[in-house]
């Protein structure tokens, strides 16, 4: 980490935490053991990002499609999620981290939602990194929900359809008020976005690694950041325009 340019780190880091089950299978362990090990990695990466001054960290923890997994695994994941939130709230307070959740929370068990709400309220006054868990989240569903919201407002005469632009649409998403990610990391060798932040990732840098999530440590995070810092982010402009100091789009 000492070799990193602290002034050129992503403001918003998004992570698809993949490979817990694969990690466990390679060791002939139950899948839930991989998820438990993955929770330990979450703790390490959250604290490291907070220490580095990352403003926003969004973790894809449970997708809308994950409900299709075996019921026993889903039940175990919900129990693990509840345990994580309850156990980490004190750490978030110590590290000045705010807690947030995006997704269809109505799909989550009531006891999990109670823990979520408690953590959100307890950390609301913190002014450090915003940690967001995407739970029961699907980006296409999010976009459809935003379109419905705007359509409803237009039908009620509260909004001129011609006034709808990228800004108003962005403000209707689950991530309203959060800047778009600068960097997306996906672990375990998969090279797809998997219905995660489709709108928000329009100009994000993408980083894929073969490392399974339980083995993703501080060194791997530093490697991803170094790769990010080696890239030229042009936002549609030319290198020459950037060198001349023209503002980004």
């Amino acid at each position: 980490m000492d070799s990193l340019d602290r002034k050129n780190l992503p403001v918003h880091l998004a992570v698809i935490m993949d490979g817990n089950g694969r990690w466990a299978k390679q060791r002939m362990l139950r899948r839930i053991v991989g998820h438990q090990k993955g929770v330990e990695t979450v703790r390490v990466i959250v604290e490291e990002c907070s220490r580095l001054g990352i403003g926003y960290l969004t973790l894809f923890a449970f997708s809308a499609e994950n409900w299709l997994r075996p019921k026993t695994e889903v039940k175990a994941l919900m129990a693990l999620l509840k345990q994580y939130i309850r156990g980490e709230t004190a750490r978030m307070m110590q590290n000045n981290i705010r807690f947030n959740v995006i997704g269809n929370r109505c799909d989550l068990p009531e006891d999990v939602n109670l823990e979520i709400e408690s953590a959100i309220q307890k950390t609301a006054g913190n002014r450090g990194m915003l940690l967001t868990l995407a739970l029961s989240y699907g980006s296409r569903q999010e976009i459809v929900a935003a379109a419905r919201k705007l359509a409803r407002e237009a039908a009620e005469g509260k909004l001129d359809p011609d006034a709808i632009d990228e800004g108003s649409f962005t403000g209707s998403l689950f991530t309203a008020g959060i800047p778009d990610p600068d960097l997306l990391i996906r672990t375990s060798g998969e090279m797809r976005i998997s219905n995660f932040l489709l709108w928000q990732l329009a100009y994000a840098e993408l980083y894929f690694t073969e490392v399974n999530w339980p083995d993703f440590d501080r060194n791997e995070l530093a490697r991803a950041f170094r790769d990010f810092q080696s890239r030229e982010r042009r936002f549609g402009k030319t290198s020459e325009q950037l060198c001349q100091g023209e503002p980004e789009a």
Side-chain angles (χ1 to χ4, degrees):
M1 288 294 180
D2 293 339
S3 64
L4 293 173
D5 178 1
R6 293 292 189 92
K7 296 180 180 179
N8 187 26
L9 289 171
V11 173
H12 184 176
L13 171 64
V15 184
I16 300 177
M17 307 178 293
D18 200 8
N20 291 339
R22 198 168 308 170
W23 182 91
K25 185 177 180 180
Q26 291 170 351
R27 292 160 177 77
M28 293 183 289
L29 300 170
R30 294 179 301 147
R31 288 178 60 86
I32 191 59
V33 177
H35 293 304
Q36 291 168 341
K37 179 65 174 175
V39 167
E40 296 177 17
T41 300
V42 169
R43 181 178 299 117
V44 170
I45 298 305
V46 166
E47 293 191 351
E48 187 66 11
C49 285
S50 176
R51 186 185 71 83
L52 289 170
I54 302 298
Y56 304 84
L57 174 63
T58 300
L59 305 177
F60 201 6
F62 192 87
S63 75
E65 292 79 16
N66 284 157
W67 293 111
L68 299 175
R69 291 189 176 188
K71 291 183 179 180
T72 53
E73 181 175 353
V74 170
K75 184 177 180 179
L77 285 171
M78 290 297 111
L80 189 59
L81 174 62
K82 177 181 175 181
Q83 179 183 356
Y84 168 78
I85 297 172
R86 176 180 292 176
E88 291 302 303
T89 300
R91 286 178 180 268
M92 286 188 273
M93 294 301 296
Q94 292 171 3
N95 290 291
N96 198 28
I97 295 172
R98 291 174 292 155
F99 183 64
N100 182 44
V101 168
I102 59 173
N104 294 312
R105 283 180 53 184
C106 59
D107 295 336
L108 299 172
E110 182 179 0
D111 58 339
V112 173
N113 267 319
L114 289 173
E115 290 295 339
I116 289 172
E117 194 58 38
S118 175
I120 289 174
Q121 291 182 9
K122 287 179 180 178
T123 63
N126 293 341
R127 291 296 177 263
M129 184 179 75
L130 178 65
L131 169 63
T132 299
L133 296 187
L135 299 172
S136 192
Y137 173 87
S139 189
R140 285 185 172 181
Q141 294 91 325
E142 175 188 28
I143 290 170
V144 168
R148 285 175 177 164
K149 177 179 180 294
L150 293 171
R152 190 178 303 113
E153 291 178 0
E156 293 172 352
K158 299 177 181 178
L159 177 67
D160 180 358
D162 291 332
I164 297 174
D165 55 14
E166 290 186 13
S168 58
F169 195 87
T170 297
S172 298
L173 296 171
F174 296 151
T175 53
I178 300 175
D180 290 343
D182 304 290
L183 173 64
L184 169 72
I185 297 173
R186 180 165 188 159
T187 57
S188 87
E190 302 293 350
M191 300 178 70
R192 57 180 179 270
I193 299 177
S194 295
N195 199 21
F196 182 51
L197 300 178
L198 299 178
W199 176 275
Q200 298 90 335
L201 290 173
Y203 278 101
E205 300 296 321
L206 308 182
Y207 179 85
F208 301 104
T209 174
E210 296 287 336
V211 176
N212 289 323
W213 179 248
D215 290 328
F216 192 88
D217 56 15
R218 291 181 176 88
N219 290 331
E220 294 297 333
L221 181 64
R223 188 171 290 114
F225 284 162
R226 281 195 294 272
D227 182 86
F228 173 79
Q229 292 181 349
S230 72
R231 304 187 189 187
E232 183 181 65
R233 307 190 72 205
R234 296 192 299 272
F235 298 93
K237 295 187 176 183
T238 66
S239 297
E240 290 74 17
Q241 285 176 301
L242 294 179
C243 291
Q244 292 168 7
E246 291 190 22
E248 294 178 353

